[in-house]
Amino acid sequence: MNGKLIWKSGMSFNTFTDSGFPIRIDASEDHGGANEGPRPMELILIALGGCTGMDVISILQKKRQDVTNFEILLHADRATDHPKVFTDITVEFVVTGHNVDEEAVKRAVELSETKYCSANAMLSKTAKITTKVTVKEG
């Protein structure tokens, strides 16, 4: 896996990955940026959601759960001192579908947390990660 960042100006960088999708990152204006893109730590949090989300939906599809909507809500607290790592992260899985088995969702989340999600494995070294599961009919 490779990455490349090209500085544009201020705190703004264009980033490139092996998959070919560029992302502009930046800082807020009060940190020398122009607010033209997400912050690096925001991307780390979203990466956790994406990693575990792909695991969970894949497992639910294999279990033939009729999911019609799937959202992951994330909240993170950071240390007050540098390097300001994440200290607490809450990941809430909101699964909507027809007759979705809540136990199947909980098991999918557990498998992601303990076996499949590399982002969770890395971040759990510094942060307490708490998960919540909400299943809705519809």
Side-chain angles (χ1 to χ4, degrees):
M1 184 179 300
N2 300 290
K4 179 179 181 179
L5 290 86
I6 300 172
W7 176 65
K8 299 310 288 178
S9 64
M11 300 300 275
S12 179
F13 289 81
N14 285 339
T15 70
F16 303 89
T17 63
D18 284 342
S19 60
F21 297 100
I23 300 171
R24 174 172 280 189
I25 60 172
D26 201 358
S28 62
E29 292 174 358
D30 59 327
H31 286 98
N35 200 33
E36 294 180 342
R39 315 308 179 246
M41 291 299 286
E42 290 173 331
L43 293 177
I44 291 172
L45 185 61
I46 291 300
L48 169 61
C51 182
T52 191
M54 289 180 187
D55 293 340
V56 170
I57 197 64
S58 174
I59 293 166
L60 292 176
Q61 289 170 340
K62 288 175 184 162
K63 291 178 177 262
R64 300 191 193 287
Q65 297 297 298
D66 188 6
V67 176
T68 58
N69 192 50
F70 180 36
E71 296 180 2
I72 301 164
L73 308 174
L74 301 151
H75 174 78
D77 293 321
R78 295 176 66 184
T80 55
D81 296 325
H82 288 287
K84 297 187 180 181
V85 298
F86 291 134
T87 56
D88 292 283
I89 300 171
T90 301
V91 183
E92 182 178 0
F93 300 86
V94 182
V95 178
T96 304
H98 303 290
N99 299 312
V100 173
D101 181 357
E102 186 172 344
E103 290 307 312
V105 177
K106 288 179 180 179
R107 179 65 178 146
V109 168
E110 178 187 11
L111 285 168
S112 178
E113 288 178 323
T114 60
K115 186 173 184 178
Y116 297 117
C117 182
S118 51
N120 185 301
M122 286 188 296
L123 289 170
S124 67
K125 304 285 188 217
T126 62
K128 176 185 173 214
I129 301 176
T130 304
T131 57
K132 297 178 183 179
V133 171
T134 302
V135 176
K136 299 178 179 180
E137 184 64 30

